[in-house]
Amino acid sequence: MKAVIFFIGVFFSCLTLSAQSEKQTFGSFDWIKINPKESFDRYAWETLPQGITQVMVDSLLASPYLTTDDPITLFYVQEKLLAVIPCRFEVLRWTGESWENLYKGTGSGFNCHAHFFVREGKLYSMGRYGFWRAHSELLEFDFDTGYWEFVPVSSPPMNYGGVGIFVDGDRVISILGENIHQPSNVFYPDKNGYVFDFKSKAWSSIELDFPNQKNLSSWIMPSFDLKDYGVQLYQLEAHLGLLLLNKKDNTLHFAKDNDFGRFKDFSVAVALENNAVFFDRYGDPTFLLHPPSPLEKFTKVGDIRLNPQASSFGIEDWSFSILAALVGLMAVGGGLWWRKNRGGKKSNPAEQLPPAEEQGTVDGVEDIERLVAKLLAQPGLLVDVHQLDDLFGTAALESLDYRRVRRSRYIKAVNQYYQTLHEKELISRTKSEVDKRMILYRISP
């Protein structure tokens, strides 16, 4: 055991971090996962990176926020040692003696099986399940306000949560996921996937050239994100093993692995760049990939093909000019008709209706679900009409009347949706204690 501990110490000291603060120094790691289902009575704590102690882990396992069997993940972000728990919004910071909760809200249940990751010093949560549907919503934690904020994106996959979610620079690859919408009795696997681009803030579909895929669901097998590789536990035909995505060339590889169970039911896992070590309840290690040749035991089984991003109209680029021409002809025709008829009978301004897009047309169920999730991320919030318009995205409407109609219809749609699930309204009206003439809105989950 001493030899093993020495080897692990050397393994993780190759890129040792300098002291990040005067209070505590932590050894190098990209992430640490702790399995709350395992016992640590006989664990060899000296196998873990410097600064990760039994007191830290024991207090995490005793945390009242622990409501799931999914692993707890540790990150070192902005000189803070943080712990995040799937199905919870809590962000716990180690103070040197205990865990302090940085999250100011009370919401939960939206990010079950979430994939947490750190990019450019920011903490993110993506997917994967919440409120009876799978999703790929991207949330960013705001350390100043203490709340998770939705990252606005275009063309998001609806009711889809990836099983293998892997971050590669400006993109996030999500593959072999599930389409789940329980109110509609939808539950089926997706043999391909999607990719998100941080630069364009847009999603696009991808195809897996992977002919030997199984049809059975993989929901939700563990996956592990490394610097150049994404590794997912997978069953290919009759073989249990590891499916590896090479981020550098978008290729897929597979290796049968007798240590499948050790990767599925580990006690602690520690990752640093392309290396990951999985420890059992005694602290005995198993390496996910074998340095210095991580692909030595793998066989290429397929490729990932990236599809062009679809336009917001859902058409190909070559047909855009045709659509533009048709719109132009319609505009010219409409202008001629207006000029011809403007001298005729004029409508009473009081009877005129705003355009359809300004009448407060409520979007589809998926958009209402996104809006409900956005509000639930800020429970107990008390806002005025202007702040509520900002939350609804209607503040840009120039007409106050149009804005009022849109606000009213969104409140009604949100409350109807939430009442069918929880038998109560989410948005309630109240009067300001300072000025009884002012109406405020409270988010009350």
Side-chain angles (χ1 to χ4, degrees), residues 89 103-107 147 374-381 443-445:
F89 284 137
Y103 175 57
K104 303 303 183 183
T106 58
Y147 287 98
K374 182 177 182 179
L375 296 173
L376 287 173
Q378 306 182 64
L381 192 66
I443 312 303
S444 305

Side-chain angles (χ1 to χ4, degrees), residues 215-346:
N215 294 322
L216 298 177
S217 169
S218 298
W219 191 264
I220 189 158
M221 294 293 283
S223 61
F224 309 104
D225 198 9
L226 305 177
K227 180 182 178 225
D228 296 319
Y229 309 107
V231 181
Q232 176 185 331
L233 302 191
Y234 197 77
Q235 179 179 344
L236 183 61
E237 297 176 343
H239 303 295
L240 294 176
L242 306 176
L243 181 66
L244 180 144
L245 165 63
N246 189 337
K247 301 176 184 179
K248 294 178 288 187
D249 59 9
N250 297 328
T251 55
L252 293 169
H253 307 256
F254 183 78
K256 294 183 290 183
D257 203 307
N258 295 329
D259 292 321
F260 184 93
R262 287 178 173 264
F263 301 132
K264 188 174 185 295
D265 299 313
F266 60 89
S267 289
V268 180
V270 183
L272 176 62
E273 296 196 346
N274 290 323
N275 304 305
V277 185
F278 289 70
F279 300 96
D280 64 14
R281 64 177 60 189
Y282 305 109
D284 290 335
T286 302
F287 288 89
L288 183 66
L289 304 179
H290 297 276
S293 303
L295 300 184
E296 182 178 3
K297 295 183 179 181
F298 285 81
T299 301
K300 182 181 175 182
V301 292
D303 298 277
I304 291 180
R305 294 197 297 267
L306 305 179
N307 296 326
Q309 290 182 1
S311 71
S312 58
F313 295 99
I315 60 174
E316 300 295 337
D317 293 339
W318 60 266
S319 61
F320 183 79
S321 58
I322 299 176
L323 178 61
L326 290 175
V327 171
L329 289 174
M330 292 175 64
V332 172
L336 293 175
W337 180 88
W338 180 79
R339 291 182 61 184
K340 180 179 179 181
N341 294 277
R342 64 179 177 176
K345 182 179 179 180
K346 296 183 179 180

Side-chain angles (χ1 to χ4, degrees), residues 60-104:
L60 275 177
L61 298 180
S63 170
Y65 306 120
L66 192 60
T67 58
T68 174
D69 289 337
D70 286 355
I72 304 166
T73 307
L74 304 185
F75 297 106
Y76 198 74
V77 186
Q78 299 181 11
E79 299 187 0
K80 303 180 184 72
L81 180 64
L82 305 179
V84 285
I85 305 170
C87 231
R88 306 290 305 194
F89 284 137
E90 279 71 25
V91 177
L92 307 180
R93 181 181 73 89
W94 180 250
T95 65
E97 297 179 353
S98 61
W99 293 97
E100 173 194 12
N101 184 15
L102 302 182
Y103 175 57
K104 303 303 183 183

Side-chain angles (χ1 to χ4, degrees), residues 152-184:
V153 303
S154 61
S155 305
M158 294 300 178
N159 303 323
Y160 169 86
V163 174
I165 301 179
F166 308 119
V167 182
D168 179 33
D170 292 325
R171 65 179 185 171
V172 182
I173 300 173
S174 178
I175 61 173
L176 298 172
E178 294 287 337
N179 294 276
I180 302 174
H181 189 263
Q182 288 184 252
S184 305

